[in-house]
């Protein structure tokens, strides 16, 4: 088999760098992109190099960040700009191959295996870096390797503007001495477990027997072992490829803490309508309803339940949601954010077994109400029609989940 | 020389082929400057911030960088 040439390109501290590109004076001060503290979306999304010196971390609260660096400049996120400029960057990648796979906004794999007319992987990487800097004004780090996992690892090694080539000849020297948490899909929890097994570097992981890992981590142990040894064979998808939808969900960080069942209920109403509406838009329905709850100590968990009949009706999603909520939370600690998602999806016209104990007429009615709501909202806007109960606290429910959220996290698998 | 980012009104010509050419710049005070010649067109980032399509223009004997950014125009101005 011909050796593959895969680039992983990563726009350095993406959101912050785009803001710097738009306003160059921000390069001279410690700056971070963060949400609005007033609406409690107050976490750091990205920071520039000067802010990094103050040990400001992505994901921490604005308050903590300000404590570390009082003169920190906070810029509110402009997602439209981020989508626009990252897409422009990807347009450059797409000039070199038709295999470009996005991984979030700022990262992408570029497969050059069958497009060698522009030069070797390293040469093309240099051209891409130069063009992105000159044409868009952004620096990117690139890893070049023979599989996706090592390419991604390479792009993480030097920031900003790094270029690291990992080959079959040198990966034992470059990759194996690295700490094991640098490997894709080794997070905090996995790292702790590996440490207990005295596995601290990627090399040690690679040289551990695959049986041992499988016993400890199941299927994932085998996957990680393969990653560490460079056996990852997954393909870079074609630019036309559309990820199959596996779940449809919505969540919200409420404007104030959700202190009791009634509060949660009205917020869930808004979310369930949005989820139901998006499911119908995609022509899907799902069996499994899950709720995610995050309390104001930022602890987080999810619970899920499978329904007998797949649904995309807000009333039914709501029933399961409330059941889950009742059985799993007592509000001893107030909730900060909550979410619903529906998974195990099947097409909306997928035949389902009717039940003698379910009133199909009622279901049909509920669905028609949903559809009518959607029609009204499409024409007159989200706030044009509401359930009366959400008006009990219009501040708490005053958000439009369908329109407000844009960016979905993606999974490698 | 310090440069400033100034958004400006621009009159453009879009020809039958779909090619867009800036023709006239209108300053905030209403002053109009005819673009005598477009010297160069390419994608570029600007030193004053932002990026887009650079139209390097000759205006009254001077060369100025005019950018089409997303959906509007700015010029690298010598005046704030």
């Amino acid at each position: 088999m011909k050796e593959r040439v895969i680039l992983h390109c990563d726009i350095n501290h993406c959101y912050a760098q785009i803001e710097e590109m738009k306003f160059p004076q921000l390069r001279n001060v410690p700056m971070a992109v963060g949400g609005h503290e007033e609406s409690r979306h107050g976490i750091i999304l990205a920071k520039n190099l000067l802010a990094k010196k103050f040990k400001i971390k992505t994901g921490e609260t604005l308050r903590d960040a300000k404590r570390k660096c009082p003169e920190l400049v906070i810029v509110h996120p402009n997602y439209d700009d981020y989508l626009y400029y990252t897409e422009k960057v990807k347009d450059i990648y797409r000039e070199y191959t038709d295999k470009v796979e996005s991984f979030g906004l700022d990262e992408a794999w570029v497969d050059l295996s069958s497009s060698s007319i522009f030069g070797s992987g390293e040469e093309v990487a240099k051209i891409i870096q130069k063009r992105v800097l000159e044409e868009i004004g952004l620096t990117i780090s690139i890893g070049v390797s023979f599989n996706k996992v090592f390419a991604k690892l390479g792009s993480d090694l030097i920031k900003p503007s790094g270029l690291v080539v990992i080959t079959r000849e040198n990966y034992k020297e470059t990759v194996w001495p690295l700490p094991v948490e640098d490997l894709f899909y080794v997070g905090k929890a996995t790292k702790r477990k590996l440490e207990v097994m005295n596995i601290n570097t990627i090399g040690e992981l690679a040289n551990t027997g695959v049986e041992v890992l499988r016993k400890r981590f199941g299927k994932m142990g085998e996957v990680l072992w393969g990653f560490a040894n460079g056996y990852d064979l997954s393909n870079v998808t074609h630019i036309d490829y559309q990820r199959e939808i596996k779940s449809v969900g919505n969540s919200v960080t409420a404007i104030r803490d959700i202190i009791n069942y009634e509060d949660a209920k009205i917020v869930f109403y808004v979310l369930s309508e949005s989820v139901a509406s998006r499911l119908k838009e995609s022509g899907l329905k799902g069996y499994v309803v899950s709720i995610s709850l995050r309390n104001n100590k930022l602890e987080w968990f999810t619970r899920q339940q499978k329904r007998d009949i797949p649904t995309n009706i807000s009333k039914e999603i709501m029933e399961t949601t409330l059941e889950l909520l009742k059985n799993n939370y007592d509000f001893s600690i107030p909730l900060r954010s909550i979410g619903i998602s529906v998974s195990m999806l099947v097409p909306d016209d997928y035949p389902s077994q009717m039940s003698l104990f379910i009133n199909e007429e009622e279901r049909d009615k509920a669905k028609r109400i949903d559809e009518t709501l959607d029609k009204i909202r499409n024409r007159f806007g989200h706030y044009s029609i509401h359930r009366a109960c959400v008006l009990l606290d219009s501040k708490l429910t005053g958000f439009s989940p369908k329109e407000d959220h844009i960016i979905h996290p993606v999974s490698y698998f | 020389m310090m440069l400033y980012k100034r958004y400006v009104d621009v009159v453009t010509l879009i020809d039958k082929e779909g090619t867009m050419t800036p023709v006239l710049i209108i300053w905030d005070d209403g002053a109009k400057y005819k673009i005598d010649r477009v010297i160069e067109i390419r994608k570029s980032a600007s030193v004053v911030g932002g990026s887009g399509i650079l139209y390097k223009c000759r205006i009254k004997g001077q060369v100025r960088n005019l950018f089409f950014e997303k959906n509007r125009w700015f010029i690298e101005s010598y005046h704030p």
Side-chain angles (χ1 to χ4, degrees), chain A residues 164-208:
Chain A
V164 175
V165 183
I166 296 171
T167 60
R168 277 193 204 277
E169 287 72 45
N170 76 2
Y171 77 93
K172 286 183 185 169
E173 290 91 65
T174 47
V175 175
W176 281 12
L178 296 170
V180 73
E181 69 262 31
D182 283 4
L183 191 68
F184 201 33
Y185 267 85
V186 177
K188 262 187 212 154
T190 313
K191 184 197 162 201
R192 261 200 310 271
K193 288 176 200 161
L194 287 168
E195 262 169 7
V196 175
M197 299 164 75
N198 201 20
I199 297 171
N200 298 304
T201 66
I202 296 175
E204 284 165 8
L205 177 67
N207 290 315
T208 306

Side-chain angles (χ1 to χ4, degrees), chain A residues 187-249:
Chain A
K188 262 187 212 154
T190 313
K191 184 197 162 201
R192 261 200 310 271
K193 288 176 200 161
L194 287 168
E195 262 169 7
V196 175
M197 299 164 75
N198 201 20
I199 297 171
N200 298 304
T201 66
I202 296 175
E204 284 165 8
L205 177 67
N207 290 315
T208 306
V210 62
E211 281 303 325
V212 180
L213 292 166
R214 195 181 304 143
K215 236 176 228 162
R216 183 69 185 81
F217 297 99
K219 201 172 131 199
M220 207 53 207
E222 208 170 329
V223 170
L224 290 176
W225 179 81
F227 283 180
N229 278 298
Y231 297 152
D232 173 49
L233 287 175
S234 55
N235 277 317
V236 179
T237 55
H238 197 267
I239 41 179
D240 292 338
Y241 175 79
Q242 290 219 325
R243 212 168 256 280
E244 187 193 349
I245 304 175
K246 288 186 175 158
S247 70
V248 173

Side-chain angles (χ1 to χ4, degrees), chain A residues 294-360:
Chain A
R294 187 188 297 272
N295 65 28
N296 62 10
K297 294 200 174 76
L298 300 182
E299 292 154 346
W300 181 80
F301 71 93
T302 66
R303 289 292 177 269
Q304 62 178 46
Q305 189 173 324
K306 192 178 165 196
R307 296 179 55 89
D308 297 330
I309 303 171
T311 184
N312 54 17
I313 300 168
S314 66
K315 187 170 164 251
E316 296 182 349
I317 296 172
M318 200 57 197
E319 282 165 11
T320 315
T321 300
L322 291 181
E323 212 178 307
L324 282 164
L325 182 67
K326 261 185 215 154
N327 297 338
N328 292 294
Y329 207 68
D330 60 0
F331 289 93
S332 53
I333 306 171
L335 292 171
R336 180 186 162 90
S337 65
I338 58 178
I340 305 180
S341 100
V342 174
S343 53
M344 235 180 114
L345 303 175
V346 292
D348 198 3
D349 50 12
Y350 188 77
S352 56
Q353 177 64 51
M354 286 196 178
S355 163
L356 282 174
F357 308 104
I358 291 170
N359 187 342
E360 287 294 332

Side-chain angles (χ1 to χ4, degrees), chain B residues 1 5 9 15 17 20-21 27 30-31 40 51 59 66 71:
Chain B
M1 190 72 183
K5 186 172 187 173
D9 293 346
D15 67 15
E17 308 296 321
M20 180 170 72
T21 316
W27 218 244
E40 190 186 356
S51 61
I59 305 166
L66 182 66
N71 54 3

Side-chain angles (χ1 to χ4, degrees), chain A residues 260-279:
Chain A
N260 55 34
Y261 179 75
E262 289 306 315
D263 276 357
K265 188 169 149 184
I266 57 175
V267 176
F268 271 135
Y269 261 120
V270 181
L271 292 171
S272 67
E273 278 176 7
S274 156
V275 170
S277 157
R278 287 179 47 218
L279 279 167

